Amino acid sequence: MDKRTVGILGGGQLGRMLVEAANRLNVNTVILDAPNSPAKQISNSTEHIDGSFTNPEDIKKLAAKCDVLTIEIEHVDVPTLKTLTSINPNLKIYPSPETIELIQDKYIQKEHLIKNGLKVATSKAIEVPSVESLSQVGNEYGYPFVLKSRKFAYDGRGNYIVKSESDLPDALATLKDRTLYVEKWAPFTKELAVMIVRSIDGRVFSYPVVETIHQNSICHLCYAPARIPDSVQLKAKLMAENAVKSFPSCGIFGVEMFYLENGELLINEIAPRPHNSGHYTIDACITSQFEAHIRAILDLPLPTNFTSLSTTNTNAIMLNVLGEAEKDGELKTCERALATPGSSVYLYGKESKPNRKVGHINVVSSSMVECERRLQYILGNSAELKNSIAARMLQQGKGHPLVGVIMGSDSDLPVMSAACKILEQFNVPFEVTIVSAHRTPHRMSKYAIEAPARGLKVIITGAGGAAHLPGMVAAMTPLPVIGVPVKGSVLDGVDSLHSIVQMPRGVPVATVGINNSTNAALLAVRMLGVYDSSYLTKMEQFLLKQEEEVLVKAEKLENIGYESYLENK
Amino acid sequence: MDKRTVGILGGGQLGRMLVEAANRLNVNTVILDAPNSPAKQISNSTEHIDGSFTNPEDIKKLAAKCDVLTIEIEHVDVPTLKTLTSINPNLKIYPSPETIELIQDKYIQKEHLIKNGLKVATSKAIEVPSVESLSQVGNEYGYPFVLKSRKFAYDGRGNYIVKSESDLPDALATLKDRTLYVEKWAPFTKELAVMIVRSIDGRVFSYPVVETIHQNSICHLCYAPARIPDSVQLKAKLMAENAVKSFPSCGIFGVEMFYLENGELLINEIAPRPHNSGHYTIDACITSQFEAHIRAILDLPLPTNFTSLSTTNTNAIMLNVLGEAEKDGELKTCERALATPGSSVYLYGKESKPNRKVGHINVVSSSMVECERRLQYILGNSAELKNSIAARMLQQGKGHPLVGVIMGSDSDLPVMSAACKILEQFNVPFEVTIVSAHRTPHRMSKYAIEAPARGLKVIITGAGGAAHLPGMVAAMTPLPVIGVPVKGSVLDGVDSLHSIVQMPRGVPVATVGINNSTNAALLAVRMLGVYDSSYLTKMEQFLLKQEEEVLVKAEKLENIGYESYLENK
């Protein structure tokens, strides 16, 4: 796609996946790193350089062979990078050396973010590290606080969580010879991350906001999208975009964030390169973070939705594969993943060593519950791997309800329970409760308004008498609402029928026959069939079975005659 | 995932994509082909062999370095393959040399298929090729018929369509020095293909049935899934599975078929390797044909659904990228593809030469109409690339309707037209027609039964008087059916309301108020929202707008007082 050669400082797994993306586009790459590093393994170019991305001479050798330079790790020699364009004015470096410099020292990064109006955890540089100076920090910030190395920190190495004053000597010993800063503890409930792509002309594209879960300070899992409210997703996305816009650069960036107990978001740190939290994009998004980076730095087209999830229903979990105590022991996990529907294994060509990132696994499904169930099998925590999500959720009596069955009073339950039986028969996950329009109006509003975000697809409402519940719920939700008129002690239910069906133009209620909650549930199943064809298939079978039952009766009637039939009935 | 080394005879694009899949699983590969062939480019192994897959010595050299041998092309030296296990009894060869032999000679392949009860086009071997012998074939088969080379034929090379007797001298000259057979013309309406994976223990997994479109005898497009009835898909799948089961082998197979005018299916030919018609699997299926092959021949796990489309709504078109007359001219097409949502470009590291397969493009979307629209842009046939499918389909007044609006009589149209207006307002593709339960009962059955296969998601029915249409349609389709009671000259529409709403248990009709087809359409939009959240968002906006309108009126009433308000109304 482009005749230019891309040089990559670093040939680890991130470099390897960049090379894979470049290979697909016939983009020539040259790697600077140790011999046979993961990225070099999948490119037979004879131009690769054996050496280090911290060595000025090696970097210059790489630059001499390239038109565009990029990085897969930020711990590179920036002063050398800055001299390169004076040697070759045509050389492009993305991200720019200035951006790498701003990000490389995490304390400078923090100051830069604050200057640009972005929220970060309170922190300060420690000029003279000592028990005295740090104990003063303890008095000011409270415990725990975090003692951090300003540079060369990754996967928790370079961070020390100081839980009390007695930790201070060990903290100082662990991080000796490093330049340090301290950070006030951020009481987060979740760690979030967003991958952002920036084009050469400054456009910014966000991947979905994801949720990372760490174990022993190493990324363990990544949930995409994050299980947080839409409004927080939007806030996180905008914050990440603003953070990336503050750096003079282009290409892909990973923005890590803390989501605090009070709902606030803080930026934790930024990586000016592909990021572990973006590996899910290979399977769950239209374009992977790696291809996005190659396209961005070569100024190749980036259509508007290329960072989206493949479908609006796509859910994914990424699991990092770490080397186990027993060499290659982690391959058992990978083998279980290969046996798991919707799961893909990526190994990096690295020797298995304990706690080393040697690969990752992406699990994709239309439901996060299903992703988690598959993950449990892959992790070896669950022996079974059945196919039906719905069946299992019902079995456990919980899970993610698709249909809400509500009624104005428990006196409606004898009628409405028929709907529940049908939903059980069709293995539809559902919930059932009492919501009264007249006695619990606020509860009704809350139920109607929150239903879509809670994952409900259809609401079945039963009501008798004035029967305002179905219409009122329909007025406050965009979901389809089915109304069941429940027969009362007077007027034979015609009062409720007319109240439910005769809605004003603008707010429809799908009304079924008086007391016929069976049909309400069957209608709900048909509606789910719009979204999931397995329900449509089940409905076809149901109709066929109904037909057969009548045919059996017809045959009997024809055979034994109407009089015997009536007697036997 | 496996310590064994896989040797591949052939290093073209199919080999390259096999290597890419192997790389992801840390599976070591060694390639036999010309220096720097596409597959070798993405593997830095020093063990590759420069040579030919038809040369016995080169094949032996490859075998000496491998535990498992496989092919990316069937034109290999089979006699040598057959000797290899006597040299190394532990060597595995997939597909087996016997299978390659049966397939390599297309006439032997045909005889083998016939012997195994599979339908193929009538053909016979030509022992002595001459104008006389072929003109006798013309008399017997009629024109056109096809003169074919038994071996080494691909991409139309080796085939000659004899349109009349006068073609015979040219046909013989074109295919001279080849062993030949003739084939009766199969009057096909579509060419289909199915990729089949066979595990070492004999299990068989089918990818979706696809439709290939050729240009100048070279595969141009591949539609996945094929645009044929479900029953034909199933038939094609079973036929392909049976064909593959007839060969003693494992790994991936491509089965090409003809779908004839009379509905019959014939097997055209079989490839015992990855196939051009399976390239769409990289983006549209859970596991690509390449990874499937590597996993099958290494006996790695193959879960039940790994050959499925990523989602039940996935549609894909693959476009082959051929070298253009102007060197690299085809990259313009690739660049348009990169600018197109949901499209991915794969280039093979081959030099651009006219008509050479240098890459392919996969276009994926939830709608085939949308895939085709994007394809037109990529091909340079369309200047625009707007995002809204629905808007464009409406604009053109055609496309793929999601909602059917039907009514018992044209006298219902004044009432039902309000539904059409709402659907237009929400950009929902719909169709509208007259279907009478009592006057066109067979038309009604056909409409109800065929609706799901035609892509309809919801049916809106309007009826007056006895109003049997909604219930009868609901009885014959698993789709949700909405009923609008149309007010007649007597009984104020209550007759129709009761007839529509009071359905027996088992067959629901979503009933709305008398004459309120507006609400029927709004309900249909809510139902589509179950499947496509963009409709849900639009419905939320619609509800907000309704609210605002009332608030404006309320403000006016409060400001000017009820008397002036009434006067101004």
Side-chain angles (χ1 to χ4, degrees):
Chain A
M1 281 314 306
D2 197 293
K3 302 286 177 201
R4 290 175 293 171
T5 293
V6 175
I8 307 178
L9 284 86
Q13 63 265 24
L14 301 176
R16 180 181 175 103
M17 292 184 270
L18 284 173
V19 169
E20 187 188 65
N23 283 342
R24 287 182 166 188
L25 296 173
N26 277 6
V27 168
N28 189 31
T29 49
V30 183
I31 313 298
L32 165 57
D33 209 334
N36 205 36
S37 56
K40 290 183 182 178
Q41 293 169 18
I42 64 165
S43 158
N44 74 351
S45 166
T46 53
E47 303 287 311
H48 298 312
I49 296 179
D50 292 343
S52 166
F53 43 77
T54 58
N55 180 313
E57 290 316 306
D58 294 340
I59 294 176
K60 282 178 197 158
K61 272 191 231 164
L62 178 73
K65 296 183 173 197
C66 301
D67 306 292
V68 180
L69 270 193
T70 190
I71 60 169
E72 61 121 40
I73 183 165
E74 59 273 31
H75 308 308
V76 298
D77 185 54
V78 169
T80 304
L81 286 182
K82 285 185 170 172
T83 66
L84 296 175
T85 43
S86 66
I87 303 167
N88 172 9
N90 292 324
L91 182 73
K92 306 288 180 198
I93 309 177
Y94 302 122
S96 67
E98 292 70 27
T99 292
I100 302 173
E101 191 170 40
L102 278 172
I103 284 176
Q104 210 172 44
D105 181 319
K106 290 189 186 173
Y107 188 68
I108 292 178
Q109 186 192 129
K110 274 214 155 56
E111 286 190 314
H112 169 86
L113 291 171
I114 293 167
K115 210 166 64 194
N116 283 277
L118 291 147
K119 285 188 185 163
V120 297
T122 307
S123 61
K124 63 173 143 193
I126 297 294
E127 306 300 339
V128 189
S130 68
V131 170
E132 293 68 43
S133 61
L134 292 181
S135 119
Q136 215 171 337
V137 171
N139 291 339
E140 190 185 338
Y141 287 179
Y143 295 93
F145 70 85
V146 194
L147 183 63
K148 290 185 158 187
S149 173
R150 289 172 62 153
K151 285 189 169 191
F152 309 116
Y154 68 98
D155 287 351
R157 280 176 254 192
N159 288 358
Y160 193 110
I161 300 172
V162 182
K163 296 203 183 70
S164 71
E165 200 164 350
S166 61
D167 283 346
L168 289 176
D170 187 49
L172 285 164
T174 307
L175 297 177
K176 72 172 179 326
D177 305 329
R178 302 252 203 169
T179 54
L180 299 174
Y181 73 108
V182 287
E183 199 172 272
K184 200 170 169 180
W185 182 256
F188 63 85
T189 55
K190 282 181 194 286
E191 290 186 81
L192 308 179
V194 195
M195 299 305 305
I196 304 274
V197 189
R198 195 157 185 221
S199 66
I200 286 181
D201 60 6
R203 284 169 302 150
V204 159
F205 305 86
S206 306
Y207 279 97
V209 179
V210 302
E211 180 184 339
T212 53
I213 294 171
H214 290 73
Q215 255 180 13
N216 305 320
S217 301
I218 300 181
C219 179
H220 172 49
L221 299 174
C222 175
Y223 282 72
R227 297 161 301 172
I228 52 175
D230 287 359
S231 60
V232 180
Q233 296 226 18
L234 186 62
K235 202 172 142 193
K237 176 177 114 76
L238 293 173
M239 196 164 172
E241 287 177 357
N242 286 334
V244 169
K245 281 181 196 160
S246 76
F247 295 99
S249 194
C250 95
I252 192 121
F253 288 79
V255 182
E256 296 179 12
M257 276 177 272
F258 294 126
Y259 178 41
L260 305 191
E261 285 156 6
N262 64 5
E264 209 182 344
L265 290 170
L266 300 180
I267 292 187
N268 177 19
E269 57 183 67
I270 294 177
R273 51 161 172 84
H275 191 258
N276 200 165
S277 71
H279 291 356
Y280 77 94
T281 61
I282 299 176
D283 289 294
C285 292
I286 291 169
T287 304
S288 78
Q289 63 166 339
F290 303 102
E291 183 173 334
H293 184 63
I294 296 289
R295 283 162 69 166
I297 64 174
L298 290 177
D299 207 13
L300 289 170
L302 301 169
T304 46
N305 75 341
F306 78 105
T307 52
S308 306
L309 291 168
S310 305
T311 75
T312 47
N313 294 321
T314 300
N315 286 276
I317 302 178
M318 187 233 37
L319 164 70
N320 266 341
V321 178
L322 302 187
E324 294 192 0
E326 183 199 350
K327 195 179 165 82
D328 289 329
E330 66 279 5
L331 294 182
K332 284 191 213 89
T333 305
C334 297
E335 188 146 346
R336 282 192 297 268
L338 289 180
T340 303
S343 306
S344 306
V345 174
Y346 299 84
L347 293 172
Y348 304 149
K350 290 162 85 172
E351 197 190 334
S352 167
K353 286 185 186 170
N355 288 319
R356 194 181 202 191
K357 288 179 182 170
V358 296
H360 72 269
I361 292 165
N362 284 341
V363 185
V364 180
S365 158
S366 58
S367 129
M368 194 60 96
V369 174
E370 180 61 15
C371 287
E372 284 196 298
R373 200 173 62 74
R374 294 178 187 174
L375 176 69
Q376 287 311 314
Y377 175 79
I378 293 169
L379 289 171
N381 298 340
S382 152
E384 47 108 42
L385 191 66
K386 289 211 196 104
N387 269 317
S388 157
I389 316 168
R392 181 173 159 279
M393 288 199 298
L394 261 182
Q395 207 180 308
Q396 302 191 343
K398 59 163 189 173
H400 197 57
L402 296 176
V403 176
V405 180
I406 59 175
M407 59 206 81
S409 153
D410 61 357
S411 64
D412 301 326
L413 187 57
V415 166
M416 297 307 289
S417 61
C420 301
K421 287 210 182 81
I422 291 285
L423 294 173
E424 279 170 0
Q425 188 183 328
F426 279 84
N427 275 348
V428 175
F430 69 97
E431 58 179 27
V432 50
T433 189
I434 297 166
V435 177
S436 165
H438 302 130
R439 282 160 294 181
T440 62
H442 303 296
R443 175 172 162 79
M444 175 183 70
S445 307
K446 186 172 153 64
Y447 191 90
I449 289 166
E450 291 181 352
R454 285 177 46 235
L456 290 182
K457 302 293 183 187
V458 181
I459 302 175
I460 297 176
T461 53
H468 292 178
L469 182 67
M472 287 310 300
V473 170
M476 287 182 287
T477 183
L479 296 179
V481 174
I482 301 171
V484 183
V486 176
K487 184 174 161 177
S489 50
V490 291
L491 297 174
D492 276 347
V494 175
D495 47 347
S496 312
L497 169 60
H498 289 177
S499 174
I500 293 172
V501 78
Q502 289 293 107
M503 287 291 290
R505 278 176 226 289
V507 182
V509 171
T511 311
V512 295
I514 295 165
N515 274 8
N516 200 339
S517 82
T518 300
N519 274 6
L522 291 170
L523 184 58
V525 174
R526 289 182 184 223
M527 291 179 184
L528 293 176
V530 169
Y531 153 79
D532 180 341
S533 62
S534 68
Y535 289 113
L536 219 59
T537 309
K538 281 184 194 164
M539 183 53 68
E540 267 175 334
Q541 287 160 353
F542 175 85
L543 292 174
L544 280 175
K545 207 173 140 226
Q546 278 196 143
E547 191 175 348
E548 273 167 24
E549 283 166 7
V550 175
L551 294 179
V552 166
K553 288 181 184 168
E555 198 184 353
K556 189 177 163 195
L557 176 57
E558 289 166 21
N559 284 342
I560 67 174
Y562 77 94
E563 284 168 329
S564 315
Y565 195 101
L566 270 179
E567 278 164 26
N568 288 332
K569 196 158 171 164
Chain B
M1 281 313 306
D2 197 295
K3 301 288 177 202
R4 290 176 292 171
T5 294
V6 175
I8 307 177
L9 284 85
Q13 63 266 25
L14 301 177
R16 180 181 174 104
M17 291 184 270
L18 284 173
V19 169
E20 186 187 65
N23 283 342
R24 287 182 166 188
L25 296 173
N26 277 7
V27 168
N28 189 31
T29 49
V30 183
I31 314 297
L32 164 57
D33 208 333
N36 206 36
S37 55
K40 289 181 183 176
Q41 293 169 18
I42 65 165
S43 158
N44 75 350
S45 167
T46 54
E47 303 287 312
H48 298 312
I49 296 178
D50 291 344
S52 165
F53 43 78
T54 58
N55 180 313
E57 290 316 306
D58 294 340
I59 295 177
K60 283 179 198 159
K61 270 192 234 163
L62 178 73
K65 295 182 172 195
C66 300
D67 305 292
V68 180
L69 270 193
T70 190
I71 59 169
E72 62 121 39
I73 183 165
E74 58 274 31
H75 309 308
V76 297
D77 185 56
V78 169
T80 304
L81 285 182
K82 283 185 171 173
T83 66
L84 295 175
T85 43
S86 66
I87 303 168
N88 173 8
N90 292 325
L91 182 73
K92 306 288 180 199
I93 309 177
Y94 302 122
S96 67
E98 293 69 27
T99 292
I100 302 173
E101 192 170 40
L102 278 171
I103 284 176
Q104 209 173 44
D105 181 320
K106 290 189 186 174
Y107 187 67
I108 292 177
Q109 186 193 129
K110 273 212 157 54
E111 287 190 313
H112 170 86
L113 291 170
I114 293 167
K115 209 166 65 192
N116 284 278
L118 292 148
K119 284 188 187 164
V120 297
T122 308
S123 61
K124 63 173 144 193
I126 297 292
E127 307 299 341
V128 188
S130 68
V131 169
E132 292 69 42
S133 63
L134 293 180
S135 117
Q136 214 172 335
V137 170
N139 292 339
E140 190 185 339
Y141 286 179
Y143 294 93
F145 69 84
V146 194
L147 183 63
K148 290 185 157 186
S149 172
R150 290 172 60 153
K151 284 190 169 188
F152 308 116
Y154 69 99
D155 286 351
R157 280 176 253 192
N159 288 358
Y160 194 109
I161 300 172
V162 183
K163 297 204 181 70
S164 71
E165 201 165 350
S166 62
D167 282 348
L168 291 175
D170 187 49
L172 284 164
T174 306
L175 296 177
K176 71 174 181 327
D177 305 329
R178 301 252 204 168
T179 54
L180 299 173
Y181 72 108
V182 286
E183 200 173 89
K184 200 170 169 178
W185 182 256
F188 64 83
T189 55
K190 281 181 194 287
E191 290 186 80
L192 307 179
V194 195
M195 300 306 304
I196 305 276
V197 189
R198 195 154 185 225
S199 66
I200 286 181
D201 59 8
R203 285 169 300 150
V204 160
F205 305 86
S206 306
Y207 279 96
V209 178
V210 302
E211 180 184 340
T212 53
I213 294 171
H214 289 74
Q215 254 179 14
N216 305 320
S217 301
I218 300 181
C219 179
H220 173 49
L221 298 173
C222 175
Y223 281 72
R227 297 161 302 173
I228 53 173
D230 286 359
S231 60
V232 181
Q233 296 227 18
L234 186 62
K235 203 172 140 192
K237 177 177 114 76
L238 293 173
M239 196 164 171
E241 288 177 357
N242 286 332
V244 168
K245 281 183 195 158
S246 76
F247 294 100
S249 195
C250 95
I252 193 121
F253 288 78
V255 181
E256 296 179 12
M257 278 176 272
F258 294 127
Y259 178 40
L260 305 191
E261 286 156 3
N262 64 5
E264 211 182 343
L265 291 169
L266 300 180
I267 291 187
N268 177 17
E269 57 182 67
I270 294 177
R273 51 161 173 83
H275 191 258
N276 200 165
S277 71
H279 291 355
Y280 76 95
T281 61
I282 298 175
D283 289 295
C285 292
I286 291 170
T287 305
S288 78
Q289 63 166 339
F290 304 102
E291 183 173 334
H293 184 64
I294 296 289
R295 282 162 68 165
I297 65 174
L298 290 178
D299 207 11
L300 289 169
L302 301 170
T304 47
N305 75 341
F306 78 106
T307 52
S308 306
L309 291 167
S310 304
T311 75
T312 48
N313 294 321
T314 300
N315 287 275
I317 302 179
M318 186 237 32
L319 165 70
N320 265 342
V321 178
L322 302 187
E324 294 191 0
E326 183 198 352
K327 195 180 163 82
D328 290 329
E330 66 279 4
L331 293 183
K332 285 192 213 88
T333 305
C334 297
E335 189 145 345
R336 281 192 297 269
L338 289 180
T340 303
S343 306
S344 306
V345 174
Y346 299 85
L347 293 172
Y348 305 149
K350 289 161 87 172
E351 198 190 334
S352 168
K353 287 185 184 170
N355 287 318
R356 193 181 203 193
K357 289 178 181 170
V358 297
H360 72 268
I361 292 165
N362 285 338
V363 184
V364 180
S365 159
S366 58
S367 130
M368 194 61 96
V369 174
E370 179 62 14
C371 286
E372 283 195 299
R373 199 174 63 74
R374 294 180 187 176
L375 175 70
Q376 288 310 315
Y377 176 79
I378 293 169
L379 290 170
N381 298 341
S382 153
E384 46 110 41
L385 191 67
K386 292 215 194 100
N387 267 319
S388 157
I389 316 169
R392 183 174 159 278
M393 288 199 296
L394 262 182
Q395 203 179 307
Q396 299 192 344
K398 59 164 190 174
H400 196 61
L402 296 176
V403 176
V405 179
I406 59 177
M407 59 205 81
S409 156
D410 60 358
S411 64
D412 301 326
L413 189 57
V415 166
M416 297 306 289
S417 60
C420 301
K421 288 212 181 81
I422 292 285
L423 294 173
E424 277 168 1
Q425 187 183 328
F426 278 85
N427 275 348
V428 175
F430 69 98
E431 59 179 28
V432 51
T433 189
I434 298 167
V435 177
S436 164
H438 303 130
R439 283 160 294 179
T440 63
H442 302 299
R443 175 172 162 79
M444 175 183 70
S445 305
K446 189 172 150 66
Y447 191 90
I449 290 166
E450 291 180 352
R454 285 177 48 235
L456 289 182
K457 301 292 183 189
V458 180
I459 303 175
I460 297 176
T461 53
H468 293 177
L469 182 67
M472 287 309 301
V473 169
M476 287 183 288
T477 183
L479 296 179
V481 174
I482 301 171
V484 183
V486 176
K487 184 176 161 177
S489 50
V490 291
L491 298 175
D492 275 349
V494 175
D495 47 347
S496 311
L497 169 60
H498 289 177
S499 174
I500 294 171
V501 77
Q502 289 293 109
M503 287 291 291
R505 276 174 229 291
V507 182
V509 171
T511 310
V512 294
I514 295 164
N515 275 7
N516 199 338
S517 83
T518 300
N519 275 5
L522 291 170
L523 184 58
V525 174
R526 289 183 184 222
M527 289 178 184
L528 293 176
V530 170
Y531 153 79
D532 180 343
S533 61
S534 68
Y535 289 113
L536 218 59
T537 310
K538 282 184 194 163
M539 183 53 68
E540 266 175 337
Q541 288 159 353
F542 174 85
L543 292 174
L544 280 175
K545 207 173 140 230
Q546 279 197 142
E547 190 174 349
E548 273 167 24
E549 282 167 8
V550 175
L551 294 178
V552 166
K553 287 182 185 169
E555 198 184 355
K556 189 177 164 198
L557 175 56
E558 289 166 22
N559 285 342
I560 67 176
Y562 76 93
E563 284 167 327
S564 316
Y565 195 100
L566 270 179
E567 277 163 24
N568 288 331
K569 202 167 166 158

